[in-house]
Structure formats: C-alpha cells, structure tokens
Amino acid sequence: MAKTVVLERKPLSLSERTYLPQIATGLKTTFSNMFKPKVTLQYPEEKPVIPQNYRGIPTLVKDPNGREKCVSCQLCEFVCPPKAIRITPGEVPEEDLDREHVEKAPQEFEINMLRCIYCGYCQEVCPEEAIFLQQEYSSSGYSREELINKKDKLYELGGVLPDKHYKWDKKKKAELEGNSH
Amino acid sequence: MIEFMQSLEIWQILAIKIVFALMMIGAVMTMAGYSVLAERKVSALMQGRLGPNRTVLPIIGSVPIIGPFLQGLGIFQPLADGLKFLFKEEIVPGHVNKIYYYLAPIIALVPALTTMTVLPFGEFFTGAGETIPLMLADLDVGILFILAVSSLGVYGIVLAGWSSNSKYPFLGGIRSSAQMISYELAMGLSLLPIFLWVSKPGVEVSALSLVEIVNSQHQANWLLLVQPVSALIFLIALFAETNRLPFDMPESETDLVGGFHTEYGSFKFGIFFVAEYAHIVIGSAIFTIIFLGGWHFLPWMSDPWPANWVGTILGVGWFLTKTVGLIFFFIWIRWTLPRFRYDQVMDLGWTKLLPLALANLLFYIVLVTWLDQSAL
Ligand code: SF4
Ligand code: SF4
C-alpha cells in the first residue's frame, strides 16, 4: 500500500490571490493556440486513414479469375449474431466449366446493414474466404430497403481479392490426375 | 447643424431620426450576428478546430477565390443560423405562463437596443469648424441612462425563468437577479471616480455625458491609464452584467441544462441569443467610450486624420476597431476561464469588488480634492 502523504499547501501570495497573473497566463495559452495547426479533418473531402484489419461493411469478394467464391454454405448466416445475413442458395449448373465441382452458389445474398453490427464473425467463419469486412465504412440510404445490400451490390463493394489457395482449381487438377479426394 | 435642424419641419426631423435609428439598429444587429460567428470561429481556433466553413450562398460562393475564402471564414453562417431560428417549429410547453413567456425575450432585447440611442460613435465636422458627436440622442446624463436601462435587461431573464414554470429556468432566473444586483453596485461605484476626474473645476458641461468623457481623453491620458482599478472593476462587472463566462450563472449549461432559456426554442430563443450578443456589443462600445478614448486615436496624440468627412469615417472606423477588439477580448476570456461557482461569484462581488470599488472611490476623492486644492 502506498502511503498517503498530505502535502502542506503554501498560502497564496497576494498576486496569486487576485488571480490576475494566472488569468494572463491562461489568456496567453489560448491565444497562442489560435495559431497552432488545426486537427480538423474536412471529412467528405479528406478521408481518414483506415488502419489495417479495419472492419468496414461486409462484402463478398471474387477471386482473381473473377469467380464467385461463396459456395452458399450458409455458415455466415448461421453465425451472424443479429441475423443480418439472408442467403437463398442456388445450384451451379453442370455446364459451368469454370466452377466444376462447386455445387452451390448463392442465388441471392442479402446483408441488412441496419442489423449488421460489424462484428466480423462472418468473415471469420467463412470456409471459402468469400466474405470480408473491408475498408468502406459509410453506407446510407433513404429507405430501409436501400440499406439491404443485395448480391450484386455486395460483389461491387467487395471487388477482387488475391487468393492464396485456388481451392477449386486444385481440386480439378487433382481429379484430372486421378486422386479426387 | 442646429440651424439646419431648426429649418426643418418636425416630421422631417422625425423621418431623419427614424432613418438613423434604423441604420444604427442594423449596424448593432449585424455586429451581434457576426460576434456569434466570431465566437464560434475563435473558440474553434483556440481549440485546434476550424469552425464553421460550410455555409455558402449560391452566386457569391461561386466567385473564384473570393467565394471559397468567404466560405472558409464562415461569413454566410449567421444568415443560415438566423433563418434556422425563423423556420423552426414554434413549440410552447404546456406548463408555461403564456403572456410572460412571450414577453420575456422582448424585455431582454429592448434594453440592449435602447441603450444604443445614447452611444456616441464618432464626430462629424461641419464646415464651420464645429464638431458634432454622432449619436442618436445627445443626453447630458448618457452614462446614467445606460446604467439604468441596461440593468432592465435582467427582467427579461428573471421573467423567462419564472414564467417557464420549471426548475432549471427558475434557478437560472434567481441566480441572474442575485448576480445583477451584486455587480450593479460595483459597476456604479467604479464609474464614480471617472466622473470626479472628468469634471474638472470650471467645466460647464455635464461630466455624465459620454461625449464629454470621450473628449476629455483627447490628447490626454486614456482613462484606462489614469484609473486602471476602475477599469478593471468595470470590466469584471461588465462580464457579470452581460452574463458572459466566467459569470454566466443564469445559463450555466453544465448544471442548469440551458438555464433561463431551457424552455425556449426557435425564434424566441434566437431573440435571447441576439440580446446577449447585443449586450456584449454595447458593453464593449461603452468600455471603449469610457476607458479607451472612444474615437480618438492614441493617448497623448491628436487625431491624425483631417477634420472633414474622411476624418469622420476614420474616427468611426477606429472606434469600431476598438470595440471589435474588446468583443474579441470577451470571447477570448470565455474560452480561457472556467465558470465560477455560484457562491464564488457572490463572494467575489460582495467581499472583493465592492470594497475595492469603495476604496478606489475614496482614493480618487482624496486625490481629486488634493489636485483641485493645489490647482487653486
Ligand atoms: S459482420 Fe457480424 S453482424 Fe455483420 S454480417 Fe457479419 S456476422 Fe453479421
Ligand atoms: S460467404 Fe462464406 S460462409 Fe457465407 S455462405 Fe458463402 S461460403 Fe458460406
């Protein structure tokens, strides 16, 4: 335990008791502050620097080959605490050679930005690295409907992110070489 | 000028006076509006911010260079603020006393505007070598009139606090009346030495006339230098009378929500707001007149401008410069000092300023008597 030391206060001198010298010092401080550089960020023109790993609006991304990564597993829908995500799964047609072996893709993917709490669980849970909370942070609209991001909007916001695995390409290659699992 | 005036019909004189009065109201109100802007800008600068710089008018704003510059200064902001107050929904709480509730803002504003009738702000040189002070009404007891009328402003605040029928405005009203009474005394007492000093033996005109006070500082000491203590007391009392920080007891938004105007909104609040700033403008003008030599140049110097209309304009400009400087000082103090506690305000008023003002008065009584005696 730290010992409390009571300091004796020195009695104020006469000039201190008038407060005037102190007021003058204060005035000097505030005056010199007027000429210091300002910290204001002129928002719409100047944007703040977004740090790494910032959690902005959740978006869907494509891989560098322009392929949809989401396989509609609905894990994100399941994990999302405020139930902001709603997925309508759809099938990937056999003929789509680009996406062989992928069975499903979202037919519709909705994220309700009025519900989303930017927790990032969806990004964490996604097995396909298809959903990311990126740097975009401002979303606004005139109606509730406008604030439900649809699939095309999500892809537009998400864009293309580099892919380390090309999971489905590997799978295709493996099958061609004869060891499909 | 006098002969000129006498040659006119009564209605012509009336018309001229009304035009002058409207011009004066326009000037003071504009200054009040722009001191609100100055307040916001200065506070922003002192806090490392930029302050209002977004409002823009369509045509002027699109002029290259000048437009963005004016926008950056926030020149159009007072317009937007005023319009905002005008177009806001008019809400009257159900529990107020309607008549007094509506009357209060008017009572707060009227004294502020009335005092300016006796404010001289320059002098006009006639061809015949006479100088005529520029003011709406040259009253022999100008300063008394100002002291009397400006203290009526407190009724607006008290009435607002009382008619609102709710606790915070009520407390604000009580505080403001207590504060006004305490500081009025010190203010009056601080001015007495001035009158003693100005009314030299053998002077025929009244030393209570503001013009006389200004002219006594021409080519002589400013009264600020002769009577620094009076000036200090007067300044402190002025802060208290205009309800400015560190004495904004009636408002003190940290403990009283909005103080006396908690229940007010839209234009009624706007009037209170304008009244406060009009008080500051007028207060600064009065301080300039009494202590800073009014429209005269610097202490001990004669006015460097010629005795014609150019001189008139420069003199008025110089007067305005001093006044604006003081308004800046008001703002500067506000963003420097914290608010006093209520009991500290009372303590300062009664146990410090009042005795000090009395001692100051006694000192100058002795001094002036001694000077008079030795001059004989
Ligand atoms: S960030 Fe959180 S709340 Fe938003 S969609 Fe993803 S899981 Fe749901
Ligand atoms: S985004 Fe990821 S977790 Fe969500 S459905 Fe698509 S693949 Fe599954």
Side-chain angles (χ1 to χ4, degrees):
Chain A
M1 269 285 282
K3 230 180 102 198
T4 321
V5 182
V6 181
L7 289 178
E8 275 296 312
R9 254 202 206 196
K10 271 187 248 143
L12 297 178
S13 67
L14 183 67
S15 82
E16 275 171 341
R17 266 190 289 150
T18 61
Y19 299 120
L20 293 179
Q22 282 70 26
I23 290 176
T25 326
L27 288 175
K28 218 163 65 195
T29 313
T30 39
F31 195 74
S32 63
N33 259 333
M34 284 180 69
F35 304 102
K36 293 218 178 109
K38 307 290 166 248
V39 294
T40 308
L41 189 81
Q42 301 271 16
Y43 170 62
E45 292 94 36
E46 299 170 19
K47 296 271 163 110
V49 183
I50 306 290
Q52 286 262 298
N53 296 335
Y54 182 82
R55 295 207 303 261
I57 297 175
T59 62
L60 288 177
V61 300
K62 294 186 171 172
D63 76 1
N65 297 337
R67 284 188 303 197
E68 187 168 26
K69 291 174 92 176
C70 172
V71 295
S72 193
C73 69
Q74 290 174 288
L75 279 176
C76 52
E77 182 173 6
F78 184 69
V79 80
C80 177
K83 301 205 184 309
I85 301 180
R86 176 147 303 157
I87 300 169
T88 318
E91 285 193 9
V92 178
E94 285 287 338
E95 311 86 68
D96 193 344
L97 295 178
D98 246 8
R99 286 193 284 177
E100 269 177 310
H101 301 283
V102 187
E103 283 164 19
K104 280 164 55 185
Q107 204 176 54
E108 189 47 86
F109 200 118
E110 290 177 356
I111 302 185
N112 188 342
M113 292 317 294
L114 294 170
R115 305 199 70 145
C116 174
I117 54 170
Y118 300 83
C119 63
Y121 281 5
C122 48
Q123 171 178 346
E124 205 165 304
V125 81
C126 179
E128 300 293 325
E129 302 188 352
I131 190 163
F132 280 94
L133 274 71
Q134 296 192 42
Q135 308 220 314
E136 188 58 43
Y137 49 82
S138 84
S139 98
S140 56
Y142 288 103
S143 63
R144 282 161 189 272
E145 284 68 42
E146 263 179 77
L147 282 166
I148 300 179
N149 287 342
K150 297 281 164 48
K151 192 174 144 184
D152 39 353
K153 177 85 185 287
L154 289 169
Y155 275 119
E156 186 192 314
L157 284 168
V160 174
L161 279 194
D163 193 332
K164 270 188 249 156
H165 312 294
Y166 292 106
K167 184 169 163 189
W168 300 105
D169 285 349
K170 277 185 195 160
K171 200 150 188 181
K172 188 175 174 184
K173 195 158 145 258
E175 199 195 52
L176 288 179
E177 286 165 6
N179 48 345
S180 63
H181 281 287
Chain B
M1 192 76 172
I2 311 280
E3 296 85 62
F4 170 68
M5 277 299 206
Q6 277 160 350
S7 70
L8 292 176
E9 298 279 338
I10 186 81
W11 65 269
Q12 280 169 320
I13 298 178
L14 216 60
I16 290 178
K17 284 282 178 195
I18 288 175
V19 170
F20 280 154
L22 288 180
M23 278 165 59
M24 186 100 180
I25 290 179
V28 172
M29 286 311 225
T30 315
M31 279 179 82
Y34 277 91
S35 16
V36 178
L37 173 70
E39 175 110 79
R40 296 179 61 183
K41 265 297 188 200
V42 170
S43 70
L45 292 178
M46 284 175 176
Q47 296 167 353
R49 297 182 286 114
L50 287 171
N53 63 354
R54 292 280 157 176
T55 332
V56 75
L57 284 186
I59 297 165
I60 310 172
S62 52
V63 180
I65 305 175
I66 303 174
F69 176 70
L70 291 183
Q71 187 191 345
L73 284 181
I75 291 294
F76 313 117
Q77 189 67 37
L79 265 178
D81 287 349
L83 280 180
K84 181 192 78 175
F85 281 135
L86 262 183
F87 288 119
K88 270 195 168 178
E89 189 189 350
E90 180 95 17
I91 294 173
V92 180
H95 52 73
V96 301
N97 187 331
K98 293 261 167 10
I99 300 170
Y100 297 124
Y101 180 77
Y102 279 111
L103 205 59
I106 303 171
I107 292 188
L109 184 64
V110 167
L113 294 186
T114 312
T115 39
M116 76 191 186
T117 47
V118 297
L119 272 190
F121 50 91
E123 49 190 6
F124 179 76
F125 305 94
T126 52
E130 293 177 78
T131 53
I132 297 166
L134 289 174
M135 60 204 297
L136 290 181
D138 191 354
L139 222 56
D140 270 352
V141 289
I143 187 63
L144 280 190
F145 179 80
I146 286 181
L147 282 179
V149 173
S150 71
S151 51
L152 291 181
V154 68
Y155 286 110
I157 294 176
V158 174
L159 209 55
W162 181 72
S163 67
S164 292
N165 265 339
S166 86
K167 61 185 165 192
Y168 293 123
F170 186 62
L171 285 174
I174 290 180
R175 285 183 181 191
S176 92
S177 41
Q179 176 180 326
M180 291 279 178
I181 292 168
S182 328
Y183 282 82
E184 201 100 298
L185 275 174
M187 186 180 229
L189 282 177
S190 74
L191 283 180
L192 288 180
I194 303 287
F195 305 143
L196 286 179
W197 189 268
V198 174
S199 49
K200 295 182 219 60
V203 176
E204 264 135 54
V205 278
S206 155
L208 294 182
S209 144
L210 289 166
V211 183
E212 269 331 293
I213 294 178
V214 170
N215 284 336
S216 76
Q217 299 174 71
H218 186 214
Q219 292 179 335
N221 276 322
W222 281 1
L223 286 172
L224 174 70
L225 304 173
V226 189
Q227 310 210 345
V229 180
S230 298
L232 181 70
I233 298 172
F234 185 75
L235 192 65
I236 295 175
L238 202 59
F239 272 93
E241 294 279 301
T242 50
N243 293 325
R244 288 290 294 186
L245 235 89
F247 299 104
D248 67 337
M249 282 305 116
E251 219 180 307
S252 56
E253 58 269 9
T254 38
D255 42 335
L256 291 188
V257 190
F260 64 94
H261 58 55
T262 309
E263 305 286 350
Y264 281 83
S266 70
F267 203 58
K268 297 186 294 309
F269 171 73
I271 293 179
F272 272 127
F273 207 61
V274 168
E276 184 187 334
Y277 282 90
H279 270 298
I280 293 169
V281 173
I282 306 273
S284 307
I286 295 171
F287 191 85
T288 310
I289 289 169
I290 298 180
F291 291 102
L292 295 181
W295 51 87
H296 294 304
F297 191 53
L298 289 177
W300 303 297
M301 281 199 226
S302 53
D303 300 344
W305 38 76
N308 53 26
W309 59 271
V310 181
T312 304
I313 292 176
L314 285 178
V316 173
W318 186 234
F319 176 75
L320 284 181
T321 314
K322 289 177 187 170
T323 310
V324 169
L326 260 168
I327 293 174
F328 173 76
F329 183 73
F330 267 80
I331 297 170
W332 188 12
I333 285 278
R334 166 160 184 190
W335 298 103
T336 304
L337 296 183
R339 171 182 303 115
F340 282 115
R341 224 169 43 215
Y342 180 50
D343 60 316
Q344 289 170 330
V345 170
M346 288 295 122
D347 186 61
L348 182 72
W350 287 105
T351 66
K352 309 272 157 52
L353 284 188
L354 191 59
L356 189 64
L358 275 174
N360 184 46
L361 176 62
L362 280 179
F363 172 76
Y364 279 101
I365 288 175
V366 174
L367 184 73
V368 169
T369 321
W370 181 71
L371 285 178
D372 281 354
Q373 291 305 317
S374 51
L376 288 179

